Amino acid sequence: MSPDDKAGVGRPSRVLWMMLLAHLVVWTAVPTLVNHNLPLDVVEAIAWGQEWQWGYDKHPPLSGWMAAAAGWVGRATGLGTGDWALYLLSQVCVVSAMLGVYLLGRATLGAKQAVLAVLLMQGVTYHHFTSPEFNVNVVQLPFWAFAFYLYWRAIHDDKLWQWAGIGLCVGLAVLGKYLGGLIVFPLVAFPLVSRAHRWVLRKPGMYVSAGGCLLVVLPHLWWASQNRWITLTYGLGRAGAGADEPWSILDHVLHPVNFLLALAFAGVATLPIVWAWGIRRRGNGSDADESMVPHARLFLAVMGVTPIAVFCGLSLVAGFELRSMWGTPLLLLLGAVLVDRFRFTRVGDAKRMVLPPLMVSLVVAGVYAGTTLGSLPVRDKGKRTNFDGVGFSRALQSAWDEQTDRPLTIVAGRVWDSCNPAWYLPQRPTAYLYADPLRAPYVGDEVMRERGGLIVWTKARRADRDRAKDAEVPVEGLAERFPGHVFLEDVVVPWPGDPEAAGGGMRFGVVYVPPR
């Protein structure tokens, strides 16, 4: 029996479930307790999802649908504002991905080694510190993890349901974000580099996966074709296509290097875990793990490295910038690769296994709480999660009620200004994003003229400074599009707990568009 086989406890699943439950509780409770407002991406996703479209101005629909469903659950329970349900949704995605990695690890490395791989995931920033902000990147995690697992099963069992499951996972990943389609590259690369699995390219299984993926994505593609491919143009813009900055040959090198540095930083918290476990490189003889399943090492390496190589290769060729958060699903198998390549000499019982990753998770949770709670007193500048979204939304409702007894059903403006009331007001008005019918085709000017609504914009991050008026309204052709509009008094929203902090709060301009 190898040293790694002795590592762990008699029932690895018990350690696994304890850690998954601890992660779920800690990373749902901490943001719920310290944040006053949902993060930007979360309120935007809710505002999208409650319109139940097959696509939105920035992304495919899945993240919006999931956020809207979680918001409905949160409100239905009657527990506070329901923010907790969105934080829980994020952690369900993370924990589901961990479960997928465990299943893959159990099939390739053995149960105890699979638990170690999952515990090492606690050292990745994407799996804790950034995870409370549910968005299109977090959505990727479970689908990538289960696609890898089902693929391993499919190349051994060649069952139709396994290939169909892969297609479903890839399709859902694409419905979450177009970059989810990059998961196809490692799936295709493995039979190309593994001679023993070339048969995969000749058998119908992979083509069943491709067909299943297409069926899942097809309704969104039809929607996108009817809406000027707005999600695709947004994605190209985020990557730097058509940017105003001058092009430089150095971008082809600097962008992928910066991305690799960001990934390294995201995984740096694995270092204290492996140090505490006593890391030692495996040898090639008796020191190697004899229980290793044939081709497992190559499989884990291809699945883990290929997506990173594709990202960097595309940036190297095209010169576009890679956002650090795009790497969210790319370190899922970091723990599995480390467990495969190294053995750990000080993990002889459950306590020694669990304590280092648990401590890392708790320390990071403390840092997360500290950066939120200390933002106002230390920096005299609030984070978005310090904002009083409930108070802001109620102030807008009061301003509306002073003008009419009709219900407020539309709030127009930029994401932060329009999506907060779309979540925090009980009637959940529609967010008319940027008052742009191309970006929010489910509303349009005619609907707003019929129902009336509010146009809201941030005048100043500090209410004691900027008091500029009409010129700041982020709506072109205001007079022609919404005749009869009225400028209302500014709304000032103090920071919770300290009304005088950071200039007394934020200042918002408000325009009333009367119902027809």
Side-chain angles (χ1 to χ4, degrees):
M1 182 178 293
S2 71
D4 282 345
D5 290 329
K6 298 176 183 178
V9 293
R11 296 182 61 185
S13 60
R14 181 179 300 173
V15 176
L16 174 73
W17 291 113
M18 287 172 55
M19 195 63 198
L20 294 185
L21 179 61
H23 180 99
L24 193 71
V25 171
V26 169
W27 283 100
T28 299
V30 169
T32 300
L33 294 174
V34 302
N35 291 346
H36 289 279
N37 204 104
L38 288 174
L40 175 66
D41 284 358
V42 186
V43 292
E44 183 177 30
I46 296 172
W48 288 337
Q50 68 184 26
E51 305 303 328
W52 298 104
Q53 303 292 302
W54 270 102
Y56 303 102
D57 63 317
K58 295 180 181 178
H59 294 291
L62 187 59
S63 65
W65 293 349
M66 293 172 67
W72 181 86
V73 171
R75 287 290 179 83
T77 61
L79 298 176
T81 60
D83 288 2
W84 64 268
L86 280 305
Y87 298 126
L88 176 61
L89 174 62
S90 268
Q91 302 318 313
V92 167
C93 289
V94 174
V95 168
S96 298
M98 291 178 175
L99 182 59
V101 171
Y102 170 75
L103 293 173
L104 175 61
R106 188 178 64 179
T108 55
L109 303 168
K112 294 177 182 178
Q113 306 306 313
V115 171
L116 294 178
V118 172
L119 293 179
L120 282 171
M121 293 176 72
Q122 294 296 324
V124 177
T125 299
Y126 299 132
H127 305 153
H128 43 63
F129 191 85
T130 63
S131 66
E133 186 161 8
F134 175 79
N135 54 29
V136 294
N137 301 304
V138 175
V139 167
Q140 299 295 305
L141 293 172
F143 303 122
W144 281 58
F146 274 93
F148 291 150
Y149 168 62
L150 288 171
Y151 190 45
W152 175 259
R153 292 286 306 273
I155 62 176
H156 287 82
D157 303 335
D158 196 24
K159 302 291 186 182
L160 186 62
W161 69 267
Q162 295 163 349
W163 293 108
I166 295 168
L168 177 63
C169 287
V170 176
L172 291 174
V174 174
L175 278 188
K177 185 177 185 176
Y178 288 152
L179 285 178
L182 290 182
I183 195 176
V184 170
F185 285 90
L187 303 184
V188 174
F190 181 70
L192 293 177
V193 299
S194 175
R195 183 173 300 176
H197 296 92
R198 297 278 169 82
W199 63 267
V200 169
L201 300 175
R202 300 189 297 269
K203 297 289 286 287
M206 186 168 284
Y207 305 99
V208 169
S209 298
C213 174
L214 183 61
L215 286 176
V216 172
V217 176
L218 198 58
H220 167 70
L221 295 178
W222 177 86
W223 176 92
S225 70
Q226 302 300 306
N227 288 272
R228 304 187 183 185
W229 303 98
I230 188 169
T231 48
L232 184 61
T233 56
Y234 169 80
L236 292 174
R238 287 285 285 176
D244 295 331
E245 292 81 3
W247 176 83
S248 170
I249 190 66
L250 289 177
D251 292 341
H252 293 261
V253 177
L254 292 179
H255 289 329
V257 169
N258 288 338
F259 185 66
L260 289 174
L261 291 174
L263 288 180
F265 180 77
V268 74
T270 58
L271 295 180
I273 300 176
V274 299
W275 176 83
W277 283 352
I279 188 171
R280 182 175 297 177
R281 186 171 180 82
R282 294 187 185 278
N284 294 322
S286 60
D287 193 35
D289 188 354
E290 297 177 358
S291 67
M292 189 71 170
V293 177
H295 310 292
R297 175 165 293 174
L298 178 62
F299 182 88
L300 293 175
V302 171
M303 296 303 113
V305 175
T306 303
I308 299 174
V310 170
F311 263 97
C312 294
L314 290 175
S315 180
L316 188 67
V317 172
F320 59 74
E321 183 178 0
L322 295 169
R323 309 279 174 168
S324 61
M325 290 308 296
W326 293 356
T328 299
L330 300 187
L331 298 184
L332 278 170
L333 298 184
L334 175 62
V337 171
L338 289 175
V339 170
D340 168 38
R341 297 288 176 171
F342 301 92
R343 66 184 182 93
F344 304 98
T345 60
R346 295 197 293 267
V347 286
D349 54 43
K351 182 178 179 180
R352 293 185 180 184
M353 286 176 66
V354 171
L355 191 57
L358 181 60
M359 290 302 298
V360 166
S361 183
L362 292 177
V363 168
V364 174
V367 172
Y368 180 93
T371 56
T372 298
L373 298 176
S375 179
L376 276 172
V378 174
R379 304 189 324 173
D380 195 31
K381 178 182 179 182
K383 296 175 60 179
R384 290 192 186 276
T385 50
N386 293 127
F387 186 68
D388 185 6
V390 174
F392 169 59
S393 302
R394 289 175 177 170
L396 293 181
Q397 183 68 62
S398 296
W400 171 267
D401 291 341
E402 290 177 1
Q403 305 297 320
T404 179
D405 58 359
R406 296 275 292 274
L408 174 60
T409 61
I410 301 174
V411 178
R414 297 187 178 97
V415 172
W416 187 251
D417 307 325
S418 62
C419 293
N420 265 308
W423 165 241
Y424 287 112
L425 284 178
Q427 71 271 28
R428 307 282 295 276
T430 291
Y432 190 9
L433 295 168
Y434 299 88
D436 185 345
L438 293 179
R439 303 189 71 165
Y442 43 83
V443 190
D445 287 0
E446 181 58 31
V447 176
M448 188 160 179
R449 285 191 292 266
E450 179 68 30
R451 301 181 187 175
L454 296 177
I455 300 172
V456 186
W457 69 102
T458 302
K459 279 192 170 182
R461 297 278 297 178
R462 295 179 62 97
D464 60 350
R465 291 182 181 172
D466 191 356
R467 295 174 179 269
K469 290 197 180 290
D470 303 6
E472 292 188 28
V473 184
V475 178
E476 296 183 5
L478 179 66
E480 295 78 15
R481 294 171 61 187
F482 305 111
H485 66 272
V486 178
F487 283 86
L488 305 182
E489 289 293 323
D490 289 353
V491 169
V492 174
V493 184
W495 297 102
D498 191 352
E500 302 302 321
M506 295 179 63
R507 179 179 297 277
F508 297 87
V510 183
V511 167
Y512 167 69
V513 177
R516 179 172 294 167

